[in-house]
Amino acid sequence: MRVLAGVATHARPVERTFALRHAAAAAGALVAALSDQAPAVVGEALPADSISQSFFRVREQELSDQQAALHGVLVIHRALEDLCEAPLSGGDLALELAGMRQAMVDLTGATPGTGRDFEPSAAVLEPGMEASLEDVWSARWLIGHQVHVLFNVCAAVAVADAAGRLRLGDSDAALLRLSDATVYVRGFPAAMTHASTIPAEYYRASIRHTMAPPSVDVPLSGRQHRGYKLFRAAMRDLLSVVPDSFEHLAARAPELAEARGALLEADIVDGERHVTLAYSMVHLDRSIAQNPEGPDNAVAELRLMRHRRAAQYASLIRFGDHYVAEAVASLRHK
């Protein structure tokens, strides 16, 4: 974790790549140490619960704490190796690495700044064999989505923990878990941008059609990701525990109001970033999962989702989008 924290996300390209190779090698050493305790589950041998799971090579199974840590670190290890070459911005890299560090804390039970360091040898830092750019881009699309799934699941657990602590009256613990959840949610768009650091032309020509019939039985959609469903359910539960407006909550529990607000703001920004990311990849094309009779394109559908989320949160955050909230309320009355 100390190695991850030390990555200079805004350094010159050579220095940044060296730091990322060092972090990837350290994650590989941690994978080896965890594998010595028990081997990884062969995910491809498990049945997929959805077409989305099959496509993105994600599986669900009850795991021991050690195996959960191993598989989480495996995702992080692969992502770090890819980030050595991915042209991700320094800001997004910082957010994705922060999510990775938090995942390592949650999955391994380690405390930041303590525990054994997994330092790679200098020989491990050398880059591997060159793969074709097309193979790198196809793999990156899956790797970034797997990081997104990891962050979704970890965020869902953190939000559920926070809601549970609030029900028990343990506000200090709830504040910590809300902070953890916010780290993950801020990492959502960073992971998706990581997946999308491929040419839009390559995505449209070689990847997009594989996520729709006839390549798959039904079009792939984010709504099919169970980890994201768990996160959204946890968010609904949290707001059932603390449904107060920002002003009312701040009057009795200012730290809680700010922590909840930070999480909700991150959730809105995730929706906003999804809009702009979709535009950069598909421009004004229709969504592959969209109803053929619908009037909108992919960007408009995502923008509508953002507006609904912003309207829902308008009274719950300090700088709520009240204009959109009033517009959405007016449309509902009509």
Side-chain angles (χ1 to χ4, degrees), residues 4-323:
L4 275 179
V7 173
T9 56
H10 292 72
R12 294 182 178 88
V14 172
E15 297 165 348
R16 178 174 118 157
T17 299
F18 181 85
L20 284 167
R21 292 198 187 284
H22 190 77
L30 179 55
V31 165
L34 290 168
S35 298
D36 287 342
Q37 300 175 32
V41 176
V42 181
E44 297 298 314
L46 300 175
D49 294 333
S50 68
I51 295 173
S52 178
Q53 282 191 0
S54 179
F55 182 90
F56 289 108
R57 301 179 68 180
V58 174
R59 298 293 188 273
E60 292 183 25
Q61 186 180 18
E62 291 291 332
L63 298 173
S64 67
D65 290 345
Q66 177 274 331
Q67 286 181 320
L70 171 58
H71 282 277
V73 177
L74 278 167
V75 170
I76 292 170
H77 179 224
R78 287 191 293 268
L80 287 169
E81 289 187 322
D82 185 64
L83 284 168
C84 293
E85 305 293 338
L88 193 64
S89 73
D92 277 328
L93 179 60
L95 293 173
E96 187 171 358
L97 292 180
M100 290 177 178
R101 291 197 304 273
Q102 187 60 51
M104 284 190 170
V105 170
D106 287 346
L107 291 168
T108 67
T111 302
T114 65
R116 175 186 168 189
D117 284 331
F118 292 88
E119 292 289 343
S121 65
V124 182
L125 298 175
E126 295 299 322
M129 294 181 62
E130 291 289 329
S132 72
L133 274 176
E134 289 78 7
D135 288 344
V136 169
W137 293 335
S138 294
R140 181 171 297 152
W141 183 250
L142 300 182
I143 289 168
H145 277 84
Q146 289 172 355
V147 174
H148 190 258
V149 170
L150 175 65
F151 287 177
N152 280 179
V153 173
C154 289
V157 172
V159 174
D161 284 350
R165 294 293 184 177
L166 287 171
R167 285 191 174 94
L168 295 173
D170 189 351
S171 59
D172 289 342
L175 289 173
L176 290 175
R177 292 305 275 155
L178 286 174
S179 176
D180 297 342
T182 303
V183 171
Y184 290 125
V185 178
R186 286 173 178 161
F188 287 179
M192 290 301 297
T193 303
H194 174 185
S196 303
T197 52
I198 61 178
E201 296 76 14
Y202 178 78
Y203 168 73
R204 291 197 297 270
S206 301
I207 296 178
R208 196 168 190 244
H209 70 87
T210 67
M211 300 191 294
S215 297
V216 292
D217 293 338
V218 296
L220 301 189
S221 165
R223 289 184 289 269
Q224 297 168 0
H225 292 295
R226 187 165 179 266
Y228 190 65
K229 290 179 181 178
L230 290 173
F231 169 70
R232 296 253 61 95
M235 291 291 282
R236 288 192 295 272
D237 184 48
L238 173 68
L239 296 184
S240 74
V241 179
V242 278
D244 319 55
S245 70
F246 180 85
E247 290 75 13
H248 289 163
L249 186 59
R252 66 177 177 84
E255 288 184 317
L256 178 57
E258 294 291 348
R260 186 192 64 176
L263 175 60
L264 299 183
E265 289 277 14
D267 198 25
I268 294 173
V269 170
D270 177 44
E272 292 169 346
R273 296 272 321 263
H274 205 165
V275 174
T276 56
L277 184 58
Y279 181 75
S280 71
M281 299 299 285
V282 302
H283 305 320
L284 299 180
D285 292 351
R286 295 175 66 81
S287 166
I288 59 175
Q290 200 168 336
N291 187 327
E293 289 76 33
D296 297 326
N297 63 357
V299 169
E301 287 279 331
L302 289 168
R303 189 179 290 121
L304 182 60
M305 292 169 60
R306 178 269 171 201
H307 290 335
R308 287 172 176 162
R309 192 175 300 171
Q312 179 190 2
Y313 296 164
S315 67
L316 306 177
I317 58 180
R318 184 187 292 274
F319 304 108
D321 193 340
H322 297 289
Y323 292 105

